[in-house]
Amino acid sequence: MNSKEKLVVEVVRARNLMPKDGKGSSSAFVEVEFENQRQRTQVKRKDLNPVWKEKLVFNVNDVAELRYRAVEINVFNERKSGSNRNFLGKVRISCSNIVREVEEIAQLYTLEKRSLFSNVRGEISLKLYLSTKEQTKKGNGNEAATSSTFVKKPNNMHLQATSGSFTLQPQQQQRQQQKQLTQDNKWPQPPRQQSKPVEPNPSEIKPVVFTTGPGPSIRTSNIVGVGGGGGGTGGFSSSGLNEFTLKETSPHLGGEPTKKDKTSSTYDLVEQMMYLYVRVVKGRVFSIFGGGEVVAEVKLGNYRGLTKRASLSNPEWNQVFAFSKDSIQSSMVEIFVKENNKDDYLGRIWFDLNEVPKRVPPDSQLAPQWYRMEDKKGEKTKGGEVMVSVWFGTQTDEAFAEAWHSKSANVHFDGICSIKSKVYLSPKLWYLRVTIIEAQDIVPVEKGSTMAKFSELSAKAQVGNQVLKTRVAPAMANRTLSNPFWNEDLMFVVAEPFEDYLMLSVENRIGPGRDNILGRVLIPVKSIERRLGDEPTVSKWFTLDTHYNNMGLTEPKVVTRFGSRIHLRLSLDGGYHVLDESTMYSSDVRPTAKQLWKPQIGALEMGILGATGLTSMKIKQGKGGSTDAYCVAKYGQKWVRTRTVIDSLAPKWNEQYSWEVFDPCTIITIGVFDNSHTDKSAGAGVGARDSLIGKIRIRLSTLESNRVYTHSYPLLMLHTSGVKKMGELHLAIRFTCANMANVLHMYPLPLLPRMHYVLPLSVNQLESLRYQAMNVVATRLSRAEPPLGREVVEYMLDHGSHMWSMRRSKANFFRIVSVLSTGIALWKWVESVRNWQKPVHTVLFVVFFLVLDIFPELILPFIFLCLSLTGLWRYPWRPRHPPHMDTRLSCAETVYGDELDEEFDTFPTRRSADIVRVRYDRLRSVAGRIQSVVGDLATQSERLQALLSWRDPRATVLFMVVCLVVAVGFYAVPFRVVVGFWGLYALRPPRFKSKLPSPALSFFRRLPSKADTLL
């Protein structure tokens, strides 16, 4: 009987397929079989994440019998030569739960193996439903079924889909597939509102498509980093697919074979940018009466640059003006000499740009020449002379860094210094260890005091704004109250040059918040002994100056019979690395003392090309939204800051920097900021703070040696409204190493210097010292010119990473789950083998187990061989791109607004009591779950202790008897036989198993714990 209803199998897409073409990719198609009917989709060339969206319609003989039928879906890779094909996976779906057309929803199925030796991975998204509207395709079932959702045929292009192949050329075919992929994944949007996100239809493909941030995108976590063969993008490269993913770029770097020049060996990671340079040196013989000041004006089209004021008698400016080639609006450049604050000029010269020479370093600088200037009438007799040089050059020119740039014409004079590129060096930091041992003959306050005893004596040490105190000296039988004993270590962070003093004082607490100073001593930090190892320095006695009142002021000295003194051991520890950033993403792990440094193993070169799509950070009068962006990179002690590109949402820096690398397992941090000191009307001043745009981190150990990585990195910022993409940063990175053996030798060495393990610091000490080190670095860099703001330093060093965040806690939990998922999957596989769910696998496992039981010496070699072969097997699918900020891993896409508000809240909180109460209740609920887990772990541990604790006498006796019998059994029976019989017993068929728990497990669960004694 023929039914009008048809079974529709809509093949939506697949992801993370196994590459089978030998080049890291696959040309996949899907073949569906139902009741002797077979249809297939089209072939998606070179795509491990193909998208079909094709409907395959099958006749249903009897709808009543449909629930006893099944649909078999096979995924194959089509080879180029011959009719052979490679198996990529299969799915068998029962028709017992088939829904009607309006109720269908996409489901994600894991691809299964066809046999034991099949190499399969990935997932496929399908829709199965009954429909009366669809019609079956007439023709041979082996022909490719055309889909109603395929590409619309353009008028100027003829496209055929026969036998899974296209008539387009390979390049056209690839572009057409990419275009179709982009079109298929666009969400429905209202007309003329392309920028607003639209909520997805619940019937869409929820397991594959997800919404990230402002707009929807497609999950590509398994695409980027796996890639196709060779140097392709390895997945989706269209900007419309996922705005938070890494994209590979192809900039025209200076080191390309067709564009090599003399600077290609030094500046081969940036694009060359041409500039017109005008150097105005000095002038002479100006026909003007009286004294005064003159300035030189360089004019090119609408751009004007003014020199500083100089004396009329002998004017010297020696300033360079740089005009970007894309901003040249005239065919000549003019130079005027004017009196200060007057419009009329004294003289003028001009140069035709077609006659200007081009200079390429390392050529010497163009020598300036004297040019006679013409006056207003065009005569050159009274105009005077000016020394000028004009040339075309690139950003590699020596004059580029200090030149006045045409795009900074609107920057006020006070902000000019803040837009130049600079290199900063962090101060050399040391740990100052102050061991306060004891004090002797502490003299009480002057005569007339009511204090009769020293009950709460403590010592306080201060270096700069760092203050630490010891505990109150305990009372000891062999010591009097005037001879307190502490023996405590206090750690401080100091920076070279040592200009601070160590101030030590002994205090007595006489009331809440009231301390009476009994003596103090000042010690210059530069006089303290430096040490490189853990050998203790010689302790010294220092005399305390007791002539201070409670306000710290010096009082007239009087002759005393007793002299108070304090016993100290001081040292500057150079064997530590002073941590100013977290060890998880540290850029330098060398000790402070240069004598302990290991040799350099390589070099890191980075070209900061530019940024695109930046968000407007401020409003300028008459211009609307604007951004004055600059980039900061930090690695080791070296900080680099690019120049500020004024009023541009797509700035181009094209600046190249290099760092020495001493350890490959370090991270470089790059941040983008908006300069708030450029516009005087925008509130720029001394206290102005630069706005944060975003940052990225790149671990050097993930980079291949001597390879240039050119990518655009998304700049992501977490706001109270959610994660937001602020733009994209374009970089070119290369890590070079001269000797690979030296790099590999670093891996088995300790991460931190030796002192961190010989004399370890506590976690609280490290956090406190890191905060102090960050303050010292921020203070020093804020005193540079141009200053590097404190907000920039704190953002680059992740100042607030230790603060509580529900989002970070969930992210760390999911990280643990992800790590344990491999073990859980292995345990599930063992359970399936033990339960004979796949008899073939179980039989093979039993044979393998018996072989290892007979030859136990093969166990360890087999394990390590499997690990080695697994790594070798995964080599073709290794990550091809540097890591970047992952919004899914950070739980930034699914975070709630209240959690973000809590994360951005200050410490202590400034929220209302009701909000704090809600958050406290939420934290209590989370802590309650953690408490339950910890309680269960404690219960199981106490049951183990109860086996021999005689808390349950009968259980202990029973356990002792069983242990005695087992001991005799192990003595009489060889260990291999015991293991073999145990394995066979555990792998017995299900018909011989009981669903009840084993006697040993039941016995263990009956053991007592201390949970019943808790209040």
Side-chain angles (χ1 to χ4, degrees):
M1 169 176 83
N2 292 330
S3 173
K4 294 183 180 180
E5 291 186 313
K6 308 296 181 183
L7 174 64
V8 181
V9 179
E10 184 176 352
V11 183
V12 184
R13 70 190 69 212
R15 66 180 184 184
N16 198 21
L17 296 179
M18 180 68 67
K20 287 294 183 72
D21 63 352
K23 297 181 180 179
S25 187
S26 291
S27 300
F29 68 94
V30 180
E31 189 176 88
V32 183
E33 185 176 359
F34 174 72
E35 290 186 346
N36 298 325
Q37 307 172 59
R38 183 179 299 172
Q39 296 189 45
R40 56 177 286 186
T41 64
Q42 297 164 349
V43 180
K44 296 298 181 181
R45 300 286 181 186
K46 302 292 184 181
D47 196 350
L48 295 177
N49 300 271
V51 177
W52 289 285
K53 287 195 175 181
E54 296 183 30
K55 295 180 181 178
L56 306 181
V57 185
F58 299 89
N59 292 320
V60 180
N61 295 329
D62 191 356
V63 178
E65 298 293 326
L66 184 62
R67 55 179 164 177
Y68 304 111
R69 303 289 184 262
V71 179
E72 185 166 353
I73 297 97
N74 293 276
V75 185
F76 297 98
N77 166 57
E78 185 176 75
R79 295 183 178 177
K80 291 184 178 179
S81 59
S83 59
N84 296 332
R85 55 189 183 181
N86 302 108
F87 179 74
L88 296 179
K90 73 170 185 176
V91 176
R92 185 177 178 85
I93 304 174
S94 174
C95 297
S96 58
N97 295 323
I98 298 296
V99 296
R100 298 293 175 181
E101 184 174 7
V102 295
E103 301 174 355
E104 80 273 12
I105 186 172
Q107 296 187 23
L108 201 62
Y109 300 91
T110 303
L111 295 175
E112 299 178 354
K113 296 183 178 181
R114 182 170 55 184
S115 62
L116 178 63
F117 303 99
S118 298
N119 195 5
V120 170
R121 76 176 187 193
E123 298 161 324
I124 187 170
S125 180
L126 302 169
K127 290 182 183 180
L128 278 76
Y129 56 93
L130 291 174
S131 175
T132 58
K133 302 177 182 179
E134 301 289 344
Q135 299 295 328
T136 57
K137 308 297 180 182
K138 296 182 180 180
N140 190 359
N142 294 329
E143 294 180 357
T146 57
S147 173
S148 61
T149 61
F150 199 65
V151 183
K152 296 181 180 180
K153 298 179 181 180
N155 296 330
N156 57 351
M157 184 181 297
H158 180 65
L159 179 64
Q160 290 182 345
T162 59
S163 301
S165 62
F166 301 100
T167 59
L168 293 174
Q169 297 296 329
Q171 295 180 355
Q172 296 176 345
Q173 171 189 342
Q174 186 177 2
R175 288 195 297 267
Q176 186 69 19
Q177 288 181 352
Q178 185 176 0
K179 180 180 178 182
Q180 169 60 18
L181 191 60
T182 306
Q183 292 176 354
D184 287 343
N185 291 284
K186 285 184 178 178
W187 292 67
Q189 296 179 344
R192 298 183 182 178
Q193 293 183 358
Q194 300 292 335
S195 60
K196 294 184 179 180
V198 179
E199 293 297 329
N201 192 334
S203 63
E204 292 295 330
I205 312 96
K206 288 185 178 179
V208 179
V209 180
F210 66 93
T211 302
T212 55
S217 56
I218 291 189
R219 180 179 179 180
T220 58
S221 58
N222 294 326
I223 299 171
V224 175
V226 177
T233 57
F236 300 143
S237 60
S238 175
S239 60
L241 294 178
N242 194 340
E243 60 178 343
F244 296 158
T245 58
L246 190 71
K247 302 180 184 66
E248 189 169 4
T249 58
S250 300
H252 301 288
L253 302 181
E256 292 186 351
T258 58
K259 296 188 177 183
K260 283 188 176 180
D261 57 18
K262 297 179 181 179
T263 62
S264 62
S265 60
T266 306
Y267 298 95
D268 58 344
L269 295 182
V270 293
E271 297 178 319
Q272 290 190 356
M273 302 175 63
M274 295 300 298
Y275 287 87
L276 173 65
Y277 291 96
V278 180
R279 180 186 294 274
V280 184
V281 184
K282 56 184 177 179
R284 64 184 180 186
V285 192
F286 293 107
S287 57
I288 184 173
F289 296 100
E293 294 179 331
V294 292
V295 296
E297 177 185 313
V298 181
K299 182 179 180 182
L300 179 64
N302 294 327
Y303 291 100
R304 293 172 50 215
L306 292 176
T307 64
K308 60 185 178 181
R309 297 187 294 269
S311 174
L312 178 62
S313 60
N314 188 21
E316 289 189 8
W317 300 286
N318 196 23
Q319 288 184 242
V320 182
F321 299 84
F323 299 88
S324 177
K325 188 176 181 180
D326 56 4
S327 63
I328 294 179
Q329 304 171 350
S330 176
S331 60
M332 68 176 182
V333 57
E334 300 174 282
I335 303 172
F336 302 91
V337 177
K338 301 180 179 181
E339 288 188 76
N340 189 26
N341 299 326
K342 290 186 179 181
D343 295 333
D344 295 336
Y345 60 86
L346 304 177
R348 165 184 176 270
I349 61 171
W350 59 274
F351 296 90
D352 189 353
L353 298 186
N354 295 324
E355 303 297 331
V356 173
K358 180 180 178 181
R359 172 182 176 260
V360 179
D363 292 348
S364 300
Q365 294 187 7
L366 190 65
Q369 300 181 26
W370 287 103
Y371 295 90
R372 183 167 294 279
M373 308 183 71
E374 60 183 25
D375 56 12
K376 301 177 184 179
K377 300 178 181 180
E379 298 178 358
K380 293 188 177 181
T381 58
K382 300 180 181 180
E385 291 181 324
V386 65
M387 182 179 285
V388 175
S389 60
V390 182
W391 73 94
F392 276 108
T394 64
Q395 74 270 28
T396 62
D397 201 292
E398 294 87 346
F400 177 80
E402 298 297 332
W404 176 92
H405 291 268
S406 57
K407 293 187 177 180
S408 61
N410 295 327
V411 180
H412 62 95
F413 180 77
D414 295 335
I416 287 293
C417 63
S418 68
I419 67 174
K420 295 181 179 180
S421 58
K422 291 293 180 181
V423 176
Y424 306 87
L425 289 178
S426 296
K428 192 174 183 179
L429 303 178
W430 292 73
Y431 280 151
L432 171 60
R433 183 185 295 268
V434 179
T435 304
I436 304 178
I437 303 175
E438 58 180 335
Q440 286 185 358
D441 301 332
I442 298 299
V443 180
V445 293
E446 299 300 330
K447 186 179 294 186
S449 172
T450 59
M451 184 181 65
K453 61 180 181 179
F454 306 96
S455 58
E456 295 186 3
L457 285 178
S458 62
K460 182 175 74 173
Q462 180 175 357
V463 178
N465 58 355
Q466 307 173 45
V467 180
L468 295 176
K469 294 185 67 173
T470 65
R471 70 183 189 282
V472 176
M476 303 180 69
N478 57 348
R479 286 181 174 270
T480 62
L481 294 176
S482 62
N483 299 316
F485 183 83
W486 297 285
N487 196 24
E488 283 191 37
D489 284 348
L490 304 180
M491 300 291 292
F492 298 89
V493 176
V494 293
E496 292 185 359
F498 301 125
E499 301 173 350
D500 296 324
Y501 284 83
L502 169 63
M503 185 175 67
L504 279 156
S505 60
V506 178
E507 300 178 351
N508 179 41
R509 174 162 296 182
I510 58 178
R514 297 177 58 195
D515 293 328
N516 188 15
I517 300 176
L518 304 180
R520 66 174 53 173
V521 60
L522 286 178
I523 304 172
V525 176
K526 62 182 178 181
S527 65
I528 297 176
E529 180 183 354
R530 307 183 186 188
R531 68 170 182 173
L532 305 182
D534 57 337
E535 302 84 5
T537 57
V538 179
S539 60
K540 297 181 181 180
W541 288 92
F542 294 88
T543 302
L544 292 174
D545 189 355
T546 58
H547 302 287
Y548 284 88
N549 57 19
N550 292 333
M551 300 298 295
L553 302 176
T554 304
E555 294 181 349
K557 293 186 177 181
V558 295
V559 180
T560 59
R561 298 180 58 185
F562 300 97
S564 301
R565 59 179 186 170
I566 189 169
H567 194 192
L568 305 174
R569 181 180 289 112
L570 308 176
S571 63
L572 289 169
D573 292 345
Y576 289 99
H577 168 69
V578 181
L579 295 168
D580 57 352
E581 50 195 350
S582 176
T583 54
M584 293 183 294
Y585 30 80
S586 179
S587 62
D588 188 15
V589 291
R590 292 174 295 170
T592 300
K594 197 171 183 179
Q595 299 91 324
L596 303 178
W597 288 3
K598 292 181 173 59
Q600 175 184 349
I601 63 170
L604 174 65
E605 300 170 275
M606 183 175 66
I608 305 177
L609 305 180
T612 55
L614 295 182
T615 304
S616 298
M617 302 302 295
K618 54 177 172 282
I619 304 297
K620 289 188 177 181
Q621 295 181 358
K623 294 184 178 180
S626 176
T627 299
D628 303 328
Y630 67 93
C631 188
V632 175
K634 195 262 181 186
Y635 182 77
Q637 294 183 343
K638 182 178 178 180
W639 299 64
V640 299
R641 170 178 177 163
T642 66
R643 70 187 187 281
T644 301
V645 178
I646 305 299
D647 195 16
S648 176
L649 300 181
K652 289 186 178 181
W653 295 293
N654 283 302
E655 299 183 21
Q656 183 169 341
Y657 300 94
S658 62
W659 291 266
E660 295 178 343
V661 177
F662 295 87
D663 194 307
C665 301
T666 47
I667 290 177
I668 182 172
T669 305
I670 307 102
V672 182
F673 304 89
D674 175 65
N675 196 332
S676 62
H677 300 79
T678 56
D679 191 4
K680 203 168 188 177
S681 62
V686 178
R689 296 171 60 89
D690 293 346
S691 302
L692 315 177
I693 297 180
K695 69 178 176 183
I696 62 173
R697 289 190 289 261
I698 301 175
R699 182 175 290 272
L700 269 61
S701 58
T702 61
L703 305 178
E704 298 179 8
S705 301
N706 303 317
R707 175 186 169 186
V708 178
Y709 291 84
T710 55
H711 294 85
S712 64
Y713 299 81
L715 297 172
L716 306 178
M717 281 291 292
L718 196 63
H719 299 276
T720 54
S721 58
V723 65
K724 182 179 180 181
K725 181 178 178 181
M726 309 294 289
E728 293 184 356
L729 178 63
H730 298 261
L731 300 175
I733 302 174
R734 178 173 58 209
F735 172 54
T736 58
C737 57
N739 191 343
M740 183 58 66
N742 293 336
V743 178
L744 298 179
H745 175 68
M746 296 297 298
Y747 279 86
L749 298 181
L751 179 63
L752 295 173
R754 177 176 175 272
M755 285 286 287
H756 286 271
Y757 306 99
V758 177
L759 294 176
L761 302 175
S762 65
V763 176
N764 292 334
Q765 275 185 311
L766 287 175
E767 285 297 327
S768 174
L769 292 173
R770 180 194 168 198
Y771 179 75
Q772 295 176 14
M774 188 209 64
N775 284 334
V776 173
V777 173
T779 303
R780 290 291 181 91
L781 295 182
S782 63
R783 293 162 56 185
E785 187 64 32
L788 204 59
R790 185 180 184 87
E791 67 280 1
V792 176
V793 176
E794 291 182 354
Y795 183 62
M796 296 290 288
L797 298 180
D798 282 305
H799 167 57
S801 60
H802 64 283
M803 299 297 292
W804 158 258
S805 168
M806 181 69 74
R807 177 188 60 84
R808 286 199 188 100
S809 301
K810 291 192 293 185
N812 292 332
F813 172 76
F814 290 136
R815 287 170 59 195
I816 296 176
V817 171
S818 177
V819 172
L820 298 178
S821 61
T822 303
I824 296 174
L826 182 61
W827 174 255
K828 290 182 179 179
W829 179 80
V830 172
E831 285 295 315
S832 65
V833 169
R834 197 172 69 88
N835 295 326
W836 290 74
Q837 296 179 1
K838 297 180 180 180
V840 177
H841 293 187
T842 304
V843 172
L844 292 176
F845 184 81
V846 170
V847 174
F848 178 72
F849 173 77
L850 293 177
V851 170
L852 293 182
D853 183 51
I854 298 173
F855 304 100
E857 63 273 8
L858 298 179
I859 296 178
L860 290 180
F862 176 77
I863 292 175
F864 288 105
L865 180 62
C866 288
L867 294 176
S868 178
L869 294 179
T870 303
L872 186 63
W873 176 70
R874 291 185 176 183
Y875 177 77
W877 303 283
R878 65 191 183 279
R880 305 296 178 89
H881 306 288
H884 65 289
M885 300 295 184
D886 192 339
T887 55
R888 293 181 60 85
L889 181 65
S890 306
C891 294
E893 302 172 357
T894 57
V895 66
Y896 296 100
D898 184 62
E899 295 177 0
L900 285 176
D901 183 72
E902 180 183 16
E903 183 172 347
F904 285 95
D905 192 11
T906 58
F907 187 85
T909 181
R910 296 181 180 178
R911 300 296 183 263
S912 63
D914 294 336
I915 297 178
V916 174
R917 186 180 299 108
V918 171
R919 292 174 180 173
Y920 176 67
D921 292 340
R922 181 179 62 196
L923 186 60
R924 288 177 61 192
S925 65
V926 175
R929 301 172 192 172
I930 299 176
Q931 173 183 286
S932 300
V933 174
V934 174
D936 292 340
L937 293 176
T939 298
Q940 307 306 327
S941 303
E942 290 169 352
R943 285 174 178 171
L944 286 176
Q945 294 178 346
L947 289 173
L948 296 174
S949 66
W950 292 90
R951 186 176 180 83
D952 186 344
R954 288 172 291 275
T956 302
V957 170
L958 185 59
F959 178 72
M960 293 170 55
V961 172
V962 171
C963 288
L964 183 62
V965 173
V966 171
V968 174
F970 273 108
Y971 178 77
V973 182
F975 183 74
R976 296 182 183 178
V977 177
V978 174
V979 174
F981 276 105
W982 174 81
L984 294 176
Y985 176 78
L987 295 172
R988 66 191 186 277
R991 63 184 302 177
F992 299 108
K993 293 182 179 179
S994 174
K995 295 184 178 180
L996 299 178
S998 63
L1001 184 60
S1002 300
F1003 173 78
F1004 181 77
R1005 289 176 176 174
R1006 290 177 178 273
L1007 292 173
S1009 67
K1010 297 180 181 179
D1012 51 350
T1013 62
L1014 293 176
L1015 293 177

